Amino acid sequence: MAEAENFIQQFIDEDLAAGKVSAIKTRFPPEPNGYLHIGHAKSMFVNFGTAEKYGGTCNLFFDDTNPSKEKTEYVDAIRRDILWLGYRWEKEVYASDFFDVIYEYAEKLIREGKAFVCDLSPEEIKATRGTLTEPGVESPYRNRTPEENLRLFREMREGKYADGEKCLRAKIDMASPNVNLRDPVIYRILHATHHRTGDKWCIYPMYDYAHPICDYLQGVTHSLCTLEFEDHRPLYDWVGITLGFSPKPRQIEFARLNLTNLVMSKRYLKKLVEEGSVHGWDDPRMPTLAGLRNRGIPAEAIKDFCARAGVAKAQSECEISYFEAVVRDFLNASAPRAMAVVDPLKLTIVNYEGSEDVDFEINQTKEGAGTRKVRFGKTLYIERSDFSLDPPPKYHRLKLGGYARLKNAYIVRCDEAVKDENGNVTEIKCTYFPESRSGSDTSGIKAKGVLHWVNAETCADAVLKQYDHLLRDADYAGQDFSERIVLDSEHIFSAKAEPYLAECAEGEAFQLLRTGYYKTCRDGGKLCLSEIVSLKDNFNK
Ligand code: ATP
Ligand code: MG
């Protein structure tokens, strides 16, 4: 067995050594009330990854005990996203598959005097729970007989009572220092249609009660969840011990993944979608897996990021720039290079006629990637920002009388700037030097700047999209979510692209030289270049 890589694996090793378990079984437990986000990728990394490490299996477990918020649309999206990340579950299981058994266990608790039907309203229950320093007050219904409780519980199931009129509570200890053990509600009345069981039930089990039962029935050995459940572990254990589960699943908590500049709660993500602040759950700015996929981020980069971020017990926040650096590393190694000009300025080479192919390196970091041909010509486009009438010192791009190299082609000298009636430069005229061709330069001319370009005669019109982070950075932390949101975070430019980009398959990732990593797509038939990640960390821009 390979050495433990984190504290969860250490616990598992202890359990294996003590003979408490043999085969390892975990589950990934999304609630189908929204789309998965990058935080869930971390949970999958932990659940699927741990099972894989021990040659065990992981189930996809839909925690669907909350009928009013759950939808089949979300179930389908969740499946798709898990498969995209490359994880395979053993069984697909729903909490609702177990509703009958969960109900039977509740009757068992009642018969054993360990649960009672309570008539207090949800508000009254809350008010009598006590505080961290004061014990709670016992319900006046706490000492009903098992017979009476059973009758009332069955009536609850039959629909005799309205929502909130009664509930079933575990009879544990109103003076427990752990508030979760103060006679927690384990069943509530909810006249709601469930996305799978329809109107069969009007009572639904609470998460804290249902989860340990579902884990046990699936044969889960280690129930891996996030830290907010740490205080619920005594209740998880109470359910397992009281119902006599053997072997009892072990709950282990780890820290959530938090990323700066990202909203990571389904509730807020849903709000963004519903209020139209983004184009949908898969908007490229969204931290959902659907959004990241649409953005062009490779699944492998997300998994690699989760591995590098590590599994810890202590809560922390990870810089978004770190995630972007991981993505950039992946794309740098894999993405072919291409040229597109975002804010085009026409460049005419006065002493050049005709056209020719030049060799363009596909990816210099990838061995054997080779070259492809790019058509060079008399009329080109360069970035407007690569020419200056009033250059600062040490300006290596084009200025009047200055030299620069056109990538993979020739050195040119800028001789003239053509202006319109408002004084705006509309074109620059240059001279090229035939002996300066890349790969066989004998010109002896020094040109420090290397500019990307496209051929004005062959280039394709493109829409280029760039994105800002959806959430303002740490300086705004603690402020209300709505004040941190950047509504104007999608920027659209009309660009000129190499014709090669227009011919590529949709969804391919490229490094646009000096611009960033972009994905090709079609926007109403038109070529669209959509930013995946900037070329360099432009965080403090
Ligand atoms: P949200 O707050 O976004 O709604 P959730 O915890 O309610 O998240 P679930 O569908 O219940 O969403 O999550 C499924 C699993 O993923 C849970 O075990 C949960 O702990 C885990 N998870 C959710 N967010 C994160 C995160 N940011 N980092 C690690 N694990 C997470
Ligand atoms: Mg949850």
Side-chain angles (χ1 to χ4, degrees), residues 159-324:
K160 200 159 167 193
Y161 305 108
D163 293 1
E165 205 179 325
K166 285 187 169 33
C167 66
L168 186 71
R169 295 175 71 177
K171 193 169 173 178
I172 309 180
D173 179 6
M174 286 308 286
S176 169
N178 186 324
V179 181
N180 294 300
L181 293 181
R182 295 183 188 167
D183 294 1
V185 174
I186 61 174
Y187 257 97
R188 58 184 170 144
I189 300 174
L190 190 66
H191 292 268
T193 304
H194 187 278
H195 76 118
R196 293 182 81 238
T197 56
D199 293 322
K200 175 172 175 190
W201 297 91
C202 62
I203 56 171
Y204 290 95
M206 302 303 286
Y207 175 89
D208 279 343
Y209 164 67
H211 206 77
I213 297 176
C214 293
D215 279 345
Y216 176 66
L217 294 174
Q218 292 174 77
V220 166
T221 56
H222 295 86
S223 185
L224 312 176
C225 62
T226 38
L227 274 185
E228 69 272 22
F229 293 103
E230 194 170 23
D231 289 345
H232 298 240
R233 189 181 348 124
L235 179 52
Y236 184 94
D237 289 339
W238 182 88
V239 173
I241 292 166
T242 308
L243 293 174
F245 294 166
S246 178
K248 190 178 73 58
R250 176 174 183 180
Q251 176 178 305
I252 306 173
E253 310 86 15
F254 60 93
R256 271 180 181 256
L257 172 70
N258 291 310
L259 275 166
T260 57
N261 301 80
L262 282 187
V263 207
M264 203 92 95
S265 139
K266 273 184 277 187
R267 194 159 63 90
Y268 284 133
L269 295 176
K270 198 168 180 173
K271 199 167 157 213
L272 289 175
V273 174
E274 282 168 0
E275 289 177 358
S277 309
V278 292
H279 302 304
W281 284 101
D282 68 346
D283 186 295
R285 291 165 292 175
M286 290 280 272
T288 51
L289 295 177
L292 296 169
R293 176 171 61 235
N294 193 17
R295 180 80 175 241
I297 299 202
E300 282 305 318
I302 296 173
K303 286 162 84 171
D304 189 47
F305 166 70
C306 292
R308 292 208 224 175
V311 180
K313 188 89 192 173
Q315 209 68 264
S316 66
E317 195 173 52
C318 185
E319 289 286 331
I320 186 81
S321 54
Y322 181 60
F323 173 62
E324 290 172 349

Side-chain angles (χ1 to χ4, degrees), residues 397-456:
R397 292 169 275 166
L398 280 175
K399 56 189 173 189
L400 289 174
Y403 296 80
R405 174 174 292 285
L406 296 169
K407 180 76 182 170
N408 292 310
Y410 297 96
I411 293 175
V412 292
R413 184 187 63 221
C414 180
D415 300 323
E416 187 192 343
V418 182
K419 295 180 195 167
D420 64 14
E421 60 272 24
N422 301 318
N424 298 318
V425 178
T426 52
E427 180 187 353
I428 57 172
K429 299 201 170 181
C430 295
T431 301
Y432 93 111
F433 301 91
E435 326 76 56
S436 68
R437 200 179 202 268
S438 291
S440 57
D441 181 3
T442 56
S443 68
I445 303 169
K446 284 212 164 54
K448 280 198 178 162
V450 181
L451 314 182
H452 64 280
W453 50 274
V454 296
N455 187 327

Side-chain angles (χ1 to χ4, degrees), residues 348-360:
T348 307
I349 305 174
V350 277
N351 63 336
Y352 187 93
E353 295 305 329
S355 66
E356 71 192 282
D357 282 338
V358 296
D359 289 322
F360 184 85

Side-chain angles (χ1 to χ4, degrees), residues 35-82:
Y35 281 57
L36 297 181
H37 52 62
I38 188 165
H40 293 113
K42 168 82 175 264
S43 176
M44 282 188 253
F45 171 77
V46 173
N47 280 296
F48 285 98
T50 305
E52 199 173 306
K53 159 126 185 161
Y54 289 91
T57 54
C58 179
N59 280 355
L60 169 55
F61 173 70
F62 285 107
D63 165 29
D64 60 350
T65 50
N66 222 343
S68 45
K69 295 191 190 140
E70 292 152 6
K71 280 203 245 162
T72 306
E73 173 203 344
Y74 298 137
V75 168
D76 294 339
I78 289 170
R79 275 198 213 110
R80 190 162 57 234
D81 291 343
I82 302 173

